[in-house]
Amino acid sequence: MTLNHIRRGTGSPLLLVHGLGAGWRSWAPILDDLARHREVIAVDLPGFGETPPLSGDVSIATLTDSVADFIREHGLNGVSTVGQSMGGRIVLELARRGVGGDTVALDPGGFWSPRERAVFAATLRPSIVLVRALRGALPALLGTPVGRTLLLAQLSARPWALSRETVLPDVRGLADSPSVGAAMDALTKGPLQQGAPAGTAPGRVTIGWGRRDLVTVPKQADRAARLFPDASLHWFERCGHFPQWDAPREATRLILDRTS
């Protein structure tokens, strides 16, 4: 499968992998800033954005396979990778497999306790149902601070302070992407993330976490750090599940500082 993707900027390549939502447009708040310094390649995972769904099983393993195939097909061996949420888990899985170079994972999934994963499923699935039901009204609802607060309290530490343009692509993606349900099943019913023993990752590993993340809660950062003992842990203060929303300048700086 060929992943739809965009390329911007020049310099050492940087591969961006999104989570549930808008596909590559999830990175729009920081894409141009990154592209001022690097060649940025942002993909649509299968069943998101403009990439068709997988014909077979949808799992973290098969989604990771699609990115690994993209890296190989485009001659990007050793490329630095950045992912957020599900995409954060995918880039950590690439690192575990020895694929890519430096890795930055922002609020990655896969490190829940059984109870935390049950809460994640029980809260996010109804939210997806809700945004699908409100699909036509989303631009108006997300155009007001009250509407953003009501719809995005689980995802952002300060939803009222965000712009509609920042959040609308991801919220529409939750409503429209054909693989959202299958990807949710992969996250909530599939295996948890395995780790990479010390010295086995192909480059530096950095894990960034929002102090106010209500999706992948902050206590999961300790589990991730234990499974990836070579990783550096960075905390985003006053930040929820989307650092590119709540702390775009800090997220950009972290990505540029921790990849080469």
Side-chain angles (χ1 to χ4, degrees), residues 167-192:
V167 300
L168 183 58
D170 275 303
V171 180
R172 275 182 169 163
L174 287 175
D176 295 343
S177 299
S179 289
V180 164
M184 275 291 295
D185 286 343
L187 290 167
T188 58
K189 301 177 182 178
L192 296 176

Side-chain angles (χ1 to χ4, degrees), residues 11-25:
S12 180
L14 186 65
L15 181 65
L16 307 183
V17 184
H18 63 85
L20 294 174
W24 71 261
R25 289 176 176 81

Side-chain angles (χ1 to χ4, degrees), residues 83 91 127 137 145 176 182 187 212 238:
V91 299
S127 297
D176 295 343
L187 290 167
R212 301 187 186 180
R238 299 186 66 199

Side-chain angles (χ1 to χ4, degrees), residues 17-125:
V17 184
H18 63 85
L20 294 174
W24 71 261
R25 289 176 176 81
S26 182
W27 298 103
I30 63 174
L31 191 60
D32 289 342
D33 286 340
L34 291 172
R36 291 188 181 97
H37 304 274
R38 306 284 290 278
E39 180 187 19
V40 178
I41 306 158
V43 299
D44 287 338
L45 291 169
F48 295 86
E50 297 177 35
T51 300
L54 293 170
S55 58
D57 178 53
V58 177
S59 66
I60 297 302
T62 57
L63 293 172
T64 304
D65 290 342
S66 73
V67 181
D69 290 344
F70 178 88
I71 290 172
R72 183 180 64 254
E73 291 163 2
H74 288 264
L76 293 169
N77 295 330
V79 68
S80 294
T81 60
V82 181
Q84 183 263 335
S85 191
M86 182 176 71
R89 180 170 180 185
I90 287 171
V91 299
L92 287 175
E93 175 62 14
L94 288 170
R96 188 189 72 82
R97 297 182 184 186
V99 176
D102 294 332
T103 301
V104 177
L106 305 176
D107 297 84
F111 301 101
W112 294 281
S113 69
R115 181 179 179 278
E116 289 162 357
R117 186 151 73 161
V119 170
F120 164 69
T123 55
L124 194 57
R125 285 187 190 278

Side-chain angles (χ1 to χ4, degrees), residues 104-165:
V104 177
L106 305 176
D107 297 84
F111 301 101
W112 294 281
S113 69
R115 181 179 179 278
E116 289 162 357
R117 186 151 73 161
V119 170
F120 164 69
T123 55
L124 194 57
R125 285 187 190 278
S127 297
I128 293 170
V129 172
L130 177 63
V131 297
R132 286 174 175 167
L134 297 173
R135 174 66 174 78
L138 288 176
L141 289 170
L142 295 174
T144 69
V146 172
R148 290 192 296 275
T149 301
L150 291 173
L151 287 176
L152 304 177
Q154 187 179 9
L155 301 179
S156 171
R158 293 172 294 152
W160 58 87
L162 303 174
S163 71
R164 177 177 65 181
E165 290 69 30

